[in-house]
Amino acid sequence: MVKSHPPANVTDLLLSDPLFCRIHSEANASFTTRRKGHVMYQKPGFQLKKVVQMGLLLLGMCILTAPSAAQWTETPALGRAHHIIIPQSRSFTLERHRVGVAIALVNAHIRIIEQTATTTLQIELVNHSSQPEEAIVLLPVPDQAVVSAFAFDGSAPEPTAEVLTAEEARRLYDEIVRRVRDPALLEFAGYQLIRSSVFPVPASGRQRVRITYEHLLSGDGDRVDYLLPRSESLQNSVPWKITADIQSRHPISTIYSPSHQLVTHRISTGHIKVELDSVSFNEPGPFRLSYLREGDGVNATLFAYPDPQVGGGYFLLMAGLPADVSKLATIRREITLVIDRSGSMAGEKFHQACTAAQEILANLREGESFNIIDYSTTVSSFASQPVTKTPYSAQQAAIYLQSIRPSGGTNIHDALLEALRAKPTAGTVPLVLFLTDGLPTVGRTNERIIREMAEAANTYNRRIFTLGVGEDVNAPLLDYLSEASRGISDYVLPGDTVDHKIAALFKRLQGPVLVDAELKGRDATGRINLIRQVLPDPLPDMFIGDQLIVLGQYWNDQPITFELSGNYLGRPRTFTFTFDLDQATTRNAFVPRLWASRRITELIDHIRQVGAPTTGSTVPLDFDPFTDPRLREMAEEVLRLSTEFGILTEYTAFLAREGTDLSNWRNAQTELHRSLNQRAVHSRSGQGAINQARNYARGKGQTVLNHRNSYFDEQMQSVQYANVQQLGNRAFFQNGQRWTDSKLVGTDRTPQPDVIVTFGSERYRQLLDRLIGQGEQAVMSLSGEIVLQLDGQIILIRNSETP
C-alpha cells in the first residue's frame, strides 16, 4: 500500500501519456491476491490515486504545479521493528542485547524492456534467536523508482511498502544511526528509499521477502544504463545472485558491466539474458549494466570521467559488432598449428594435442587454409606453404598427425621461424597456434634472440597465440610473442587438459570481423589529437561475439571524434563517432581505476621483459634493472598509481601490510624495487612465473573492477585484501583502527588534521551533506577513524566502532 496522496488535478495529464499508461497496465497486472500461506501486496481495483503516485515518481511530472512530496507524504517511523534489513548492505539490530536477524542470500532479477526496468529482489533471512523477531526492509533505489509489489511468507496483516524521498530517507537514516551508532548506513544517504511495513521472522527460522520496483533508465545515444545500488564495503559478505533479461526492438550489439563478471546468453538479436558469474557472487559494489544497440557495422559509446589533474579526464570507449552473425561474411582464416613433439610431450599430452589439431581442421570452413609444423630437435611440416582446406587436404593432414612421434629436445627458435616465414594465403587473417611444454633447449635458446627473431621474421603480421603446457616454460617469452603480434597467451595447468585448452582458444577465433584496427581521437578539425595513454596498444582483432573496451586519457573538454579503422569483413573501413563530454561525471569512477589497472600491468610487464638475459638462458643473480633511470621512473609510476587508486598487485602488496609506514615514500620505493627485481625480473619459468603470467593476462585486459584486489600468489592461490578499500573515486588504506585517504599517502610525513569531526555532531552532519553533494558519502561508512583530504583540508573523522 503506497501511503501518499498526490494532487488529483494531474490525473488527466498523466493518463494522456502512452508510456505511463503502459506501465500502469503492467503494474496492475503484476498485483496478486492473497493465497494460502503466502501474502502478496495487493490493492483491489488498484485505485487511481495510487496510479497517479506512480506516475509522479516515475515521470517527475507536475513538479511546478504540485506541492512538494514532504507536504503530502507521511514521515516514516521504525515502529516496533527490532531489525532493519538493507539488502544491499546487511542487517542492523536496533537493540544491542538482541540476537541478530541475518541476510543469508539475495536473488535479484532484472527485466529491462527498452528503457524501463523492473527489479525484483528476493531476500532470504535467517533468525538466529529462539524467539520470533520483527523487521522492516529499507531498500535504497534510484530516483523516481516506483514500488509495485511487496510480499513475505506466512500470514500477517496486509503488507505495505512506500517510497521515501531522499530527504525523508535522510531523516530516517539519521534516526537509525543515532540508535545503533553505526555509520555503515550512511553509504546510501542521498538515495530514495523503499520502506516496508513490519514483518515477522520466525524463531530459529527463515523468512523470504520480495520487493519489486520499477524505474526509467538513463542512457546516452544508443546506450542504455542500469544501476542497482549496493554497498562497496568489503566487510559485507552476503552472496548475491543476479539475473537480467534485456529486450529491445532494435538489435543489441553488446552488453557490458564494469562492476561484475557476467555470463551472457543471446536469445535473439534483440533479446539477451545475463547472469552473474559465480566468481562475482560475493563481490561488493553497485551492480552496473549497460547495453548498446546495434549500429551500421561497428557501433560505439563513451563513458567519461573528468579529472583536471590530467588536463581533461579519462575515457572508456566500448565498441560492439552487429548482432546477427549469420549476415556477416567474415574474413577467412589461415591457421598454422605448431606442435611440440619433444620427448617430454610423450604420452597423454601429445595425444590430446593431436586430437585437438584434428578438431581444428574439421571446423575450418571450406576455402580457409592451414599448415601443421611439428618440432623437437629439428623442425618438420605438413606442407611447404599453407594449403587450402579440401576433403583431400584434411584427410592427408589427419594421416600426417598420426605419423608424428615425440622425441628429442625443444627448438623453439627454428619452429617459430618456420611458422612466420611463409607468405600467407591472399585475403586471409594469418593465425599461429604455438604449443610448447618446455624451455628452449636446442638451437638458439636465448630469450632475447628468439624475441628479436620473431619481430624481424613476422613481416606478414601473423597473430601468435601461445599455449604453454605445464610450468617448465618461459612465461615472459610466451607472453611477449603473443602480445607483440595481437595474439594472446594461455597455460595448461594441473587439472587442465591440452585438448580442452586448445579448443577453447580456437573457439575465440571464430569469424574475424575487424582486424588491424587503429583508433584516433581528434577535434572537429581532424588535425589535433585529443587522446593519449590509450590501452590496449595495439588494439586486438575483433571476432564474432567480441566487444572492444579501450581506455585512455583526454586532455581537452571539447567534443572528440573517434575514428576506428581497419579491415572490416575483408575491406578497409573507418567508423566515426563524435561524443560531447557534457556527460562526463565522477559517477564513472570505474573508468580511471580500470585505466590505472591496465597501465600498472603494462609498466610491470615492461620491467619484466627487460629482465630477459642478454646471454645464456638465466638472469644473472647480481642483475639490477633499477640502475637504469627509465626503469626507476616506471617503478615510481607503478607505486603512484597503486596508492592513488588503491590497486594492489603481488609486487605492491606490502602497502597493505600492517605497520607499513605509508608516509615513507623512499622505503616504499625500495620495497617495490626489491619485489620487482626478485619476482618479475628473475623469475622466468616455474610456478612462480606462471602465476605472474596469469596476473598479467588478467590485468592487461581488465574490464571489470577488482574490488578485493585479488591476484594469484607464487603457490597459485588466490589472495585478497580487506584493508584497502575502494570507494567511488577514492581509496583508503587501513592501519590499525584508522583509514587514510590515498591522497595523503607518500607525503613523507604523517598527515596532521586541520579539522576533527566527531560522530553524531553538527559538524559531522554538515560534512555528510558536503559529501552527499559530491556523491562521496560512502566515505562516512567506514568504521573507526578516517583521515580524509577534502577541499584542501585534512579532516579527521572519529566514527563509532561497528557493533
Side-chain angles (χ1 to χ4, degrees):
M1 181 181 299
V2 180
K3 298 181 179 178
S4 52
H5 311 286
N9 62 357
V10 302
T11 301
D12 294 340
L13 179 57
L14 288 172
L15 292 178
S16 68
D17 186 280
L19 175 61
F20 170 73
C21 290
R22 182 176 65 80
I23 294 177
H24 163 214
S25 176
E26 291 183 2
N28 194 29
S30 70
F31 292 145
T32 307
T33 57
R34 186 186 307 265
R35 61 180 184 267
K36 184 178 180 181
H38 192 77
V39 180
M40 289 293 294
Y41 166 76
Q42 53 103 22
K43 187 66 178 178
F46 192 56
Q47 298 178 16
L48 183 58
K49 62 181 181 179
K50 308 304 191 274
V51 181
V52 173
Q53 188 225 9
M54 289 176 62
L56 280 169
L57 292 170
L58 181 64
L59 302 176
M61 299 178 65
C62 303
I63 297 299
L64 298 177
T65 60
S68 68
Q71 291 178 280
W72 45 266
T73 304
E74 297 176 14
T75 301
L78 298 177
R80 64 183 184 277
H82 296 115
H83 306 279
I84 297 170
I85 309 300
I86 300 183
Q88 297 101 320
S89 178
R90 56 183 173 87
S91 61
F92 296 82
T93 301
L94 295 175
E95 298 180 17
R96 289 178 180 268
H97 69 277
R98 302 187 77 93
V99 178
V101 172
I103 305 173
L105 173 69
V106 179
N107 279 292
H109 178 67
I110 304 153
R111 183 168 176 257
I112 299 174
I113 300 178
E114 304 300 343
Q115 285 189 240
T116 302
T118 301
T119 302
T120 299
L121 300 183
Q122 178 171 288
I123 306 122
E124 306 277 348
L125 303 176
V126 58
N127 182 0
H128 294 293
S129 76
S130 58
Q131 62 183 14
E133 299 288 347
E134 293 184 317
I136 63 171
V137 169
L138 298 181
L139 184 69
V141 293
D143 290 345
Q144 299 182 345
V146 178
V147 58
S148 57
F150 168 56
F152 55 84
D153 288 349
S155 59
E158 181 183 17
T160 62
E162 60 181 328
V163 178
L164 308 182
T165 65
E167 293 77 15
E168 293 169 324
R170 170 65 187 281
R171 289 195 294 270
L172 182 57
Y173 280 136
D174 288 343
E175 178 183 348
I176 298 171
V177 170
R178 280 194 299 270
R179 290 185 60 175
V180 301
R181 298 193 63 77
D182 187 342
L185 280 163
L186 298 176
E187 185 170 1
F188 299 106
Y191 279 95
Q192 286 189 172
L193 275 182
I194 292 176
R195 177 192 182 277
S196 78
S197 58
V198 177
F199 58 87
V201 186
S204 302
R206 290 178 173 266
Q207 174 64 279
R208 285 183 301 178
V209 179
R210 287 163 296 283
I211 292 183
T212 299
Y213 67 89
E214 300 173 348
H215 71 292
L216 290 178
L217 303 182
S218 61
D220 186 3
D222 288 331
R223 190 186 80 234
V224 177
D225 300 325
Y226 173 90
L227 173 69
L228 176 59
R230 294 173 70 235
S231 173
E232 292 182 274
S233 173
L234 298 177
Q235 306 304 317
N236 297 326
S237 57
V238 176
W240 277 65
K241 295 183 179 180
I242 301 176
T243 60
D245 189 308
I246 304 104
Q247 299 180 45
S248 171
R249 292 189 302 270
H250 303 281
I252 299 172
S253 173
T254 191
I255 299 281
Y256 173 57
S257 171
S259 60
H260 294 79
Q261 296 280 358
L262 299 178
V263 178
T264 302
H265 310 278
R266 183 177 287 277
I267 310 302
S268 65
T269 58
H271 186 189
I272 292 179
K273 292 184 177 182
V274 301
E275 58 185 306
L276 215 61
D277 191 294
S278 59
V279 300
S280 290
F281 284 174
N282 293 97
E283 282 298 300
F287 175 67
R288 299 177 182 273
L289 180 69
S290 298
Y291 78 85
L292 179 66
R293 300 185 188 98
E294 182 181 297
D296 178 18
V298 177
N299 200 9
T301 187
L302 191 76
F303 299 89
Y305 176 93
D307 187 349
Q309 292 187 355
V310 298
Y314 298 86
F315 71 86
L316 183 154
L317 182 77
M318 176 177 75
L321 300 172
D324 191 352
V325 297
S326 65
K327 296 181 180 179
L328 298 179
T330 56
I331 309 169
R332 290 179 298 143
R333 296 165 296 178
E334 177 196 274
I335 304 289
T336 301
L337 299 169
V338 185
I339 301 175
D340 186 344
R341 57 170 167 82
S342 61
S344 58
M345 279 289 291
E348 189 64 21
K349 288 189 296 185
F350 188 74
H351 173 72
Q352 291 176 358
C354 290
T355 300
Q358 292 185 25
E359 287 293 322
I360 289 175
L361 296 178
N363 285 287
L364 284 177
R365 303 198 311 263
E366 292 291 332
E368 294 186 314
S369 51
F370 70 93
N371 199 1
I372 301 169
I373 295 173
D374 53 293
Y375 70 100
S376 59
T377 303
T378 59
V379 179
S380 301
S381 63
F382 168 67
S384 58
Q385 298 282 340
V387 297
T388 302
K389 179 190 174 182
T390 64
Y392 174 76
S393 62
Q395 180 189 47
Q396 292 302 305
I399 295 173
Y400 181 83
L401 286 169
Q402 293 173 4
S403 70
I404 302 174
R405 297 292 182 267
S407 66
T410 307
N411 192 342
I412 289 179
H413 179 280
D414 289 358
L416 195 56
L417 178 61
E418 179 68 15
L420 298 176
R421 67 165 184 80
K423 185 176 181 180
T425 308
T428 63
V429 179
L431 310 173
V432 175
L433 273 59
F434 191 95
L435 182 146
T436 182
D437 81 329
L439 299 168
T441 59
V442 177
R444 299 185 177 184
T445 60
N446 179 262
E447 183 180 336
R448 285 182 183 268
I449 290 176
I450 294 174
R451 279 181 4 194
E452 291 167 359
M453 177 278 298
E455 288 184 356
N458 196 11
T459 57
Y460 299 113
N461 296 321
R462 279 185 163 85
R463 281 71 168 150
I464 304 172
F465 296 83
T466 59
L467 186 63
V469 181
E471 297 171 349
D472 191 28
V473 295
N474 187 321
L477 173 60
L478 298 183
D479 290 343
Y480 182 91
L481 293 174
S482 60
E483 179 69 16
S485 63
R486 285 192 164 104
I488 57 175
S489 55
D490 202 354
Y491 297 86
V492 181
L493 302 177
D496 298 332
T497 61
V498 175
D499 52 344
H500 288 170
K501 278 286 187 176
I502 295 177
L505 178 59
F506 184 69
K507 185 177 180 181
R508 297 179 61 175
L509 306 179
Q510 296 293 328
V513 178
L514 178 67
V515 299
D516 298 322
E518 295 182 354
L519 181 69
K520 298 177 181 178
R522 295 173 173 167
D523 68 348
T525 69
R527 294 190 296 271
I528 300 177
N529 294 319
L530 298 180
I531 60 174
R532 59 193 176 199
Q533 299 277 16
V534 176
L535 299 169
D537 182 25
L539 298 182
D541 298 324
M542 296 183 73
F543 296 81
I544 287 176
D546 280 352
Q547 66 177 198
L548 179 65
I549 302 294
V550 183
L551 293 144
Q553 297 177 354
Y554 61 89
W555 61 269
N556 199 303
D557 291 334
Q558 60 183 292
I560 303 177
T561 297
F562 287 92
E563 293 181 354
L564 179 62
S565 58
N567 178 351
Y568 179 76
L569 300 179
R571 296 181 179 179
R573 187 167 175 183
T574 297
F575 300 93
T576 302
F577 315 97
T578 299
F579 300 106
D580 291 326
L581 295 173
D582 53 359
Q583 297 293 319
T585 171
T586 54
R587 295 184 185 276
N588 291 336
F590 60 88
V591 174
R593 186 163 278 120
L594 288 174
W595 174 86
S597 295
R598 288 192 181 184
R599 176 62 176 162
I600 289 169
T601 302
E602 179 187 53
L603 292 166
I604 290 173
D605 185 61
H606 187 89
I607 294 170
R608 186 172 68 138
Q609 296 300 339
V610 167
T614 54
T615 59
S617 57
T618 59
V619 183
L621 293 177
D622 60 351
F623 176 70
D624 180 5
F626 299 108
T627 56
D628 186 336
R630 295 171 299 176
L631 296 182
R632 289 200 301 271
E633 289 178 5
M634 290 183 184
E636 173 83 8
E637 187 175 356
V638 167
L639 190 59
R640 179 182 61 78
L641 292 174
S642 298
T643 53
E644 178 181 353
F645 292 98
I647 297 169
L648 296 185
T649 64
E650 57 185 303
Y651 317 101
T652 55
F654 64 88
L655 294 170
R657 192 168 57 218
E658 184 69 27
T660 297
D661 184 359
L662 296 176
S663 66
N664 193 325
W665 194 251
R666 185 176 297 276
N667 280 358
Q669 290 173 312
T670 300
E671 182 77 7
L672 178 59
H673 290 176
R674 183 198 63 78
S675 180
L676 286 170
N677 195 18
Q678 177 182 332
R679 299 280 294 117
V681 172
H682 280 82
S683 184
R684 316 301 290 179
S685 63
Q687 190 177 68
I690 300 300
N691 89 285
Q692 293 182 77
R694 290 191 68 178
N695 294 330
Y696 166 70
R698 176 190 289 183
K700 73 171 183 176
Q702 187 172 342
T703 60
V704 176
L705 293 174
N706 184 5
H707 300 92
R708 300 184 187 275
N709 279 305
S710 63
Y711 61 82
F712 292 102
D713 66 10
E714 295 177 69
Q715 285 73 46
M716 297 300 292
Q717 299 299 310
S718 180
V719 178
Q720 298 179 344
Y721 292 88
N723 56 350
V724 177
Q725 177 72 66
Q726 301 168 359
L727 292 174
N729 59 353
R730 291 181 182 265
F732 290 84
F733 291 81
Q734 186 182 32
N735 204 330
Q737 295 300 310
R738 173 173 288 190
W739 292 92
T740 301
D741 191 340
S742 66
K743 300 178 187 297
L744 300 171
V745 171
T747 56
D748 287 330
R749 64 182 180 86
T750 301
Q752 299 300 314
D754 301 309
V755 179
I756 298 177
V757 178
T758 305
F759 177 84
S761 66
E762 180 60 30
R763 181 174 284 179
Y764 187 92
R765 288 189 288 274
Q766 292 173 356
L767 176 59
L768 177 60
D769 288 336
R770 288 172 64 189
L771 291 171
I772 290 174
Q774 298 179 24
E776 297 182 304
Q777 63 269 30
V779 169
M780 303 288 275
S781 67
L782 296 170
S783 62
E785 293 188 339
I786 308 166
V787 182
L788 170 71
Q789 185 179 67
L790 183 66
D791 299 333
Q793 285 187 316
I794 299 177
I795 302 173
L796 171 61
I797 305 170
R798 287 181 171 161
N799 254 337
S800 64
E801 296 296 331
T802 300

